[in-house]
Amino acid sequence: MAKNKKNDLLDNVVSLAKRRGFVFQSSDVYGGLNGCWDFGPNGVELLRNVKDEWWKFYTYREDVEGLDASILMHPRVWEASGHVENFTDPMVDCKQCRARFRLDHLAERMKAKKKIKGFEAAAEASGVAALKDAAEKARDAEESELNALFEAALENQETSSALLSALNCPECGTQ
């Protein structure tokens, strides 16, 4: 029933946006095009105001220069800017509930006791010395130290697979 209310609310908002001339699905008259939207008279003004405020907030500083460029660029541009080498978002998928998590956000979603139990289970199952050391440190660590240990273990290739296999899914609780 809760999903029906959410769907009804979304349908009402979309309907209102169309009636008031804010936004329309692209090629709506011909059946629409998924993921593409056209802005009506009010939508253009709203979009311009949002862009202007965003621009003022992020670029009216001494250490920033504004640039308006396409995100569709030659791959060498992304390499030269450091995006290819430095920006990765490794993902972890739960096979049971099909939930997906960014690896670097996993520590935030788990409670301290679960992290400690994960270290202990991974150390016991894998026998990796680094995990045994981390499990001992984790028992007495404060929250910030525990998060740092946990993230370091996830970044290390030797320990990450053993630790991830010992953890339960934050959503459904299965391993």
Side-chain angles (χ1 to χ4, degrees):
M1 184 173 236
K3 287 190 177 189
N4 287 338
K5 287 183 181 181
K6 286 182 182 180
N7 289 341
D8 291 344
L9 177 64
L10 182 61
D11 290 342
N12 289 339
V13 170
V14 170
S15 176
L16 179 66
K18 285 182 178 181
R19 285 194 316 270
R20 300 279 170 92
F22 280 94
V23 67
F24 307 93
Q25 187 173 9
S26 187
S27 306
D28 194 23
V29 175
Y30 298 101
L33 185 62
N34 287 340
C36 298
W37 298 90
D38 297 329
F39 295 96
N42 293 326
V44 170
E45 290 298 318
L46 177 65
L47 180 64
R48 187 177 56 80
N49 290 340
V50 170
K51 281 183 178 181
D52 287 346
E53 289 302 314
W54 184 91
W55 188 262
K56 287 177 193 173
F57 183 80
Y58 284 105
T59 61
Y60 286 5
R61 302 178 354 198
E62 283 185 27
D63 61 336
V64 174
E65 292 292 331
L67 174 69
D68 188 4
S70 174
I71 62 169
L72 301 175
M73 294 183 179
H74 193 279
R76 282 189 268 177
V77 173
W78 294 111
E79 290 170 12
S81 67
H83 284 81
V84 173
E85 185 178 316
N86 297 323
F87 296 116
T88 60
D89 290 333
M91 303 296 285
V92 179
D93 296 321
C94 175
K95 293 177 182 165
Q96 191 70 27
C97 69
R98 301 194 191 283
R100 179 170 249 203
F101 312 99
R102 276 183 43 185
L103 190 58
D104 59 336
H105 290 178
L106 192 60
E108 297 168 7
R109 296 195 64 163
M110 297 181 70
K111 294 187 172 152
K113 286 183 181 180
K114 297 259 183 190
K115 292 175 196 167
I116 294 168
K117 285 183 180 180
F119 273 128
E120 292 170 348
E124 188 177 313
S126 69
V128 175
L131 282 173
K132 290 180 183 179
D133 293 341
E136 289 176 19
K137 290 178 185 175
R139 288 185 198 107
D140 301 324
E142 293 181 18
E143 186 74 25
S144 61
E145 293 173 292
L146 182 59
N147 285 340
L149 278 170
F150 193 76
E151 289 176 10
L154 289 176
E155 289 175 8
N156 183 335
Q157 288 182 334
E158 181 184 20
T159 58
S160 64
S161 60
L163 183 57
L164 285 173
S165 64
L167 296 175
N168 290 343
C169 172
E171 287 292 315
C172 68
T174 59
Q175 200 166 13

